[in-house]
Amino acid sequence: MAVDDQQEQRARLVRQISARGITSPRVLWAMGQIPREEFVPPSCRSEAYEDRPLSIGWGQTISQPSIVALMTEYLAPEPHHRILEIGTGSGYQTAILALLSGEVVTVERYPTLAFSAAKRLAKLGIQNVHFLWGDGTLGWPEGAPFDRILVTAAAPHLPHPLFAQLAECGYLVIPIGSRSEQTLYRVRKIDNRPAWESVVTCRFVPLIGQFGWSEEGAVD
Ligand code: SAM
């Protein structure tokens, strides 16, 4: 794909996302900056600007651009924020968050995905991200509190270590529900208690870990 084509496709994607109701100029700007074709396998490059999830190996997916934009809009990152992201995947959402905040700590369960994502962001010159691998349902207590926490995989319930690591007045955005369908929630910490706001129904791959789903199945 020629550079002009990529820019045009990105601009078209931003128009589509905007038509789907994303209004934050900062989010739309960031979505227009990141080359999604760098985050998908070479065999899917021609589909990089379609608004749908794509397989990235290990049974995982790069999220649909419009859901990345929606989650980012609800997260409302500011330039001085420190963000914890659980579920790095390809690193596409991570790159968007990095453009809109001061620092991102991202945790991925599969080291291979974490390494590939780190390489992609380094290639793009993005330097304000720390990559960790392991069970993200435990969060990263050493780095707490975080102004914002984003979970990009589907949880059976709100993992309490993550809520504990959220700063007072901070937002945590997370899909919660069954393995097959969830509701995306924005949770705000007010006086150390969660205030819930439901956003949209959605479908994510499961969050596997101590405070998520078991590897084999059925928590609900
Ligand atoms: N937003 C990502 C992107 O743009 O490529 C896609 C994230 S993908 C839908 C969800 C990711 O969460 C997968 O890479 C999966 O391996 C990861 N994951 C699942 N359970 C996890 C856990 N306990 N800790 C960290 N990562 C986890």
Side-chain angles (χ1 to χ4, degrees):
M1 216 190 295
V3 172
D4 283 355
D5 289 350
Q6 291 163 4
Q7 280 170 355
E8 176 43 38
Q9 294 211 42
R10 234 170 10 250
R12 191 165 53 86
L13 181 67
V14 170
R15 288 194 295 274
Q16 270 179 21
I17 290 168
S18 164
R20 295 187 74 160
I22 302 299
T23 57
S24 160
R26 295 183 73 236
V27 173
L28 292 171
W29 167 80
M31 296 296 294
Q33 298 301 304
I34 300 297
R36 193 167 183 252
E37 69 276 8
E38 297 288 339
F39 293 81
V40 303
S43 58
C44 299
R45 279 193 152 215
S46 62
E47 298 155 66
Y49 289 100
E50 291 176 18
D51 190 20
R52 60 186 179 92
L54 294 169
S55 171
I56 55 170
W58 300 89
Q60 306 304 322
T61 52
I62 176 172
S63 306
Q64 182 175 352
S66 54
I67 195 90
V68 169
L70 184 70
M71 288 173 109
T72 310
E73 184 156 83
Y74 272 84
L75 200 68
E78 295 292 336
H80 61 282
H81 282 164
R82 295 180 61 248
I83 300 181
L84 176 65
E85 180 193 41
I86 308 303
T88 314
S90 69
Y92 178 66
Q93 169 86 71
T94 319
I96 302 282
L97 297 178
L99 291 190
L100 297 173
S101 67
E103 184 188 3
V104 180
V105 176
T106 184
V107 188
E108 170 56 52
R109 194 170 159 250
Y110 290 103
T112 315
L113 290 180
F115 283 123
S116 305
K119 267 209 271 185
R120 289 188 188 106
L121 269 67
K123 188 176 162 196
L124 295 175
I126 295 173
Q127 295 181 334
N128 56 337
V129 179
H130 305 281
F131 293 87
L132 305 174
W133 63 92
D135 180 4
T137 67
L138 304 173
W140 192 49
E142 297 91 321
F146 293 94
D147 303 299
R148 300 286 188 259
I149 299 180
L150 178 64
V151 183
T152 71
H157 46 69
L158 178 62
H160 72 73
L162 298 184
F163 186 70
Q165 291 167 37
L166 183 66
E168 179 66 19
C169 294
Y171 288 139
L172 190 161
V173 172
I174 182 170
I176 296 181
S178 68
R179 277 188 178 247
S180 56
E181 190 177 84
Q182 308 89 33
T183 301
L184 185 67
Y185 289 98
R186 175 162 76 175
V187 183
R188 190 162 203 205
K189 193 183 235 183
I190 300 172
D191 296 333
N192 220 20
R193 304 171 86 96
W196 294 80
E197 182 183 352
S198 78
V199 178
V200 72
T201 54
C202 53
R203 281 193 77 166
F204 279 84
V205 296
L207 180 74
I208 307 285
Q210 191 176 332
F211 295 93
W213 296 96
S214 67
E215 190 104 44
E216 299 77 38
V219 169
D220 65 351

